[in-house]
């Protein structure tokens, strides 16, 4: 995991983000304070320790009130979300993944109709922390199910052959999705069967269960003879703007006749990816739009203490 930037560089990056994605004004919050000093904590601003964690979220620490107040502009808007992240991590630690998946599938079994929101799929009566955590487990298959509904006229359907899905830039988070969750696709799209191939350069290969396999590779069109021609390609939060290795992949997919979908953490990221894809001649099938099946459990930046995002927050589709 990359180390956190020093505080001045964190602030510079947050200023850039704020221009692209304005945050609410930091509230005046005299009731906020600091917990007792922790020998494991250092001040976010000056790196001195031991420091005192924020007594509401515990997610950042300061040497004293002066530096807490200095950072208030950046910390106050995300403090509740950092508290929620801590609660979510504790919930995941307290419950075995098989139990969580069984709980998730029991809730999901309430309806066979293609859902349009987490409430429609999970029901509205879950505790907030459980709702967030279950959404995080299911965001990838449910995002795919939602996209298949939106792109049904572009994705071939043949009940005698499975719909072939290639998941590009797949990593451990995709590999951790159990086959039972991927099989929700067949319950939500009963007129299809599915063959899902996860492809990523650092992915451990193997058959993961019925209709799901993992392949170690950078995704290129010349893999199709071995993997089979896909009916849909999807990349979850693959960072198209960050990595130059995406250029040949996008050129391969553009104009191939196979639709491909991307998800992004932020609106401005999705918009930037759209500009890039239009520039190379990709045809938009779905303009960047908020995803109703984004994870409700936020992910914290490893380099910016007061920055966070949600998996699969925006989605788009191209050909």
């Amino acid at each position: 995991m990359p180390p956190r930037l020093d505080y001045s560089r964190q602030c510079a990056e947050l200023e850039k983000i704020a221009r692209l994605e304005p945050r609410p004004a930091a509230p005046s919050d005299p009731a906020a304070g600091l917990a007792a000093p922790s020998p494991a904590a250092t001040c976010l601003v000056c790196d001195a320790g031991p420091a005192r964690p924020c007594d509401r979220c515990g997610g950042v620490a300061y040497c004293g009130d002066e530096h807490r107040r200095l950072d208030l502009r950046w910390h106050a808007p995300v403090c509740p979300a950092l508290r929620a992240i801590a609660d979510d991590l504790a919930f995941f630690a307290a419950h075995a993944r098989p139990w969580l998946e069984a709980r998730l599938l029991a809730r999901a079994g309430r309806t066979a109709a293609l859902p349009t929101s987490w409430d429609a799929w999970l029901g509205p009566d879950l505790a907030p922390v459980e709702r967030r955590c279950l959404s995080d487990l299911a965001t990838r298959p449910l995002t795919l199910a939602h996209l298949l509904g939106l792109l049904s006229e572009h994705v071939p359907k043949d009940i005698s052959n499975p719909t072939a899905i290639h998941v590009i830039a797949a990593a451990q988070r995709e590999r951790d999705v159990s086959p039972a969750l991927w099989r929700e696709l067949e319950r939500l799209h009963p007129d299809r069967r599915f063959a899902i191939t996860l492809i990523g350069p650092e992915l451990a290969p193997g058959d993961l269960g019925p209709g799901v396999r993992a392949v170690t590779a950078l995704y290129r069109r010349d893999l199709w003879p071995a993997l089979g021609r896909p009916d849909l390609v999807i990349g979850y939060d693959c960072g198209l703007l960050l990595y130059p290795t995406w250029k040949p992949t996008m050129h391969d997919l553009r104009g191939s006749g196979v639709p491909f979908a991307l998800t992004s953490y932020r609106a401005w990221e999705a918009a930037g990816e759209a500009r890039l894809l239009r520039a190379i001649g990709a045809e938009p099938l779905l303009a960047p739009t908020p995803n109703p099946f984004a994870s409700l459990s936020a992910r914290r930046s490893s380099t910016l203490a007061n920055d966070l995002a949600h998996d699969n927050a925006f989605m788009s589709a191209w050909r």
Side-chain angles (χ1 to χ4, degrees):
M1 181 178 292
R4 251 183 213 155
L5 301 176
D6 63 71
Y7 187 67
S8 61
R9 292 172 67 197
Q10 287 193 51
C11 290
E13 291 301 312
L14 289 167
E15 291 281 6
K16 293 177 188 176
I17 292 170
R19 288 195 291 272
L20 295 166
E21 186 180 275
R23 295 184 175 198
S28 174
D29 194 358
L34 299 174
S38 167
T42 58
C43 177
L44 173 62
V45 177
C46 69
D47 209 31
R52 301 170 62 192
C54 170
D55 65 2
R56 292 193 170 177
C57 71
V60 295
Y62 307 101
C63 58
D65 280 333
E66 180 181 352
H67 281 177
R68 181 189 70 82
R69 287 191 296 269
L70 178 68
D71 191 50
L72 186 63
R73 175 190 175 194
W74 300 118
H75 182 65
V78 300
C79 184
L82 294 181
R83 175 69 264 167
I85 290 173
D87 292 343
D88 294 352
L89 291 173
F91 187 86
F92 277 125
H95 298 87
R97 190 178 180 101
W99 183 90
L100 289 171
E101 290 181 354
R103 172 79 167 155
L104 175 61
L105 292 168
R107 303 285 301 191
R110 295 178 169 193
T111 175
L114 189 62
T116 57
S117 68
W118 285 121
D119 278 354
W121 197 58
L122 292 173
D125 54 337
L126 285 169
V129 64
E130 186 173 7
R131 185 170 181 266
R132 291 193 304 267
C133 291
L134 294 187
S135 79
D136 195 61
L137 290 180
T139 180
R140 282 155 176 76
L142 264 291
T143 295
L144 178 53
H146 184 63
L147 280 164
L148 283 164
L150 296 176
L151 302 174
S152 59
E153 64 183 279
H154 302 289
V155 181
K157 186 186 302 181
D158 179 357
I159 195 62
S160 63
N161 292 298
T163 299
I165 308 292
H166 287 180
V167 180
I168 61 176
Q172 192 61 42
R173 281 179 68 83
E174 285 73 38
R175 206 179 192 281
D176 284 343
V177 177
S178 74
L181 289 178
W182 288 119
R183 284 198 297 274
E184 276 294 289
L185 292 169
E186 296 187 354
R187 189 176 68 81
L188 296 172
H189 291 277
D191 53 348
R192 294 182 185 269
R193 293 182 298 120
F194 291 91
I196 296 170
T197 304
L198 313 178
I199 306 105
E202 299 177 358
L203 198 64
D207 291 329
L208 307 182
V212 185
R213 60 176 169 163
V215 173
T216 308
L218 275 173
Y219 193 74
R220 298 289 187 266
R221 192 170 168 177
D222 59 17
L223 293 173
W224 290 4
L227 300 182
R229 179 184 174 89
D231 297 305
L232 176 68
V233 173
I234 184 168
Y236 296 106
D237 299 314
C238 54
L240 194 62
L241 301 178
L242 295 178
Y243 303 107
T245 50
W246 279 119
K247 184 176 180 179
T249 301
M250 293 300 111
H251 279 280
D252 276 357
L253 291 174
R254 174 218 55 188
S256 68
V258 173
F260 60 98
L262 301 172
T263 71
S264 312
Y265 292 117
R266 307 175 188 275
W268 53 264
E269 180 186 10
E273 291 171 344
R275 287 193 296 271
L276 186 154
L277 290 166
R278 289 191 181 98
I280 67 169
E283 174 192 353
L285 301 177
L286 175 68
T289 187
N291 176 16
F293 293 101
S295 172
L296 301 175
S297 182
R299 296 186 70 187
R300 190 171 183 186
S301 168
S302 60
T303 57
L304 305 178
N306 288 315
D307 185 43
L308 50 86
H310 293 265
D311 278 11
N312 309 315
F314 288 80
M315 58 187 183
S316 64
W318 307 82
R319 183 168 55 195

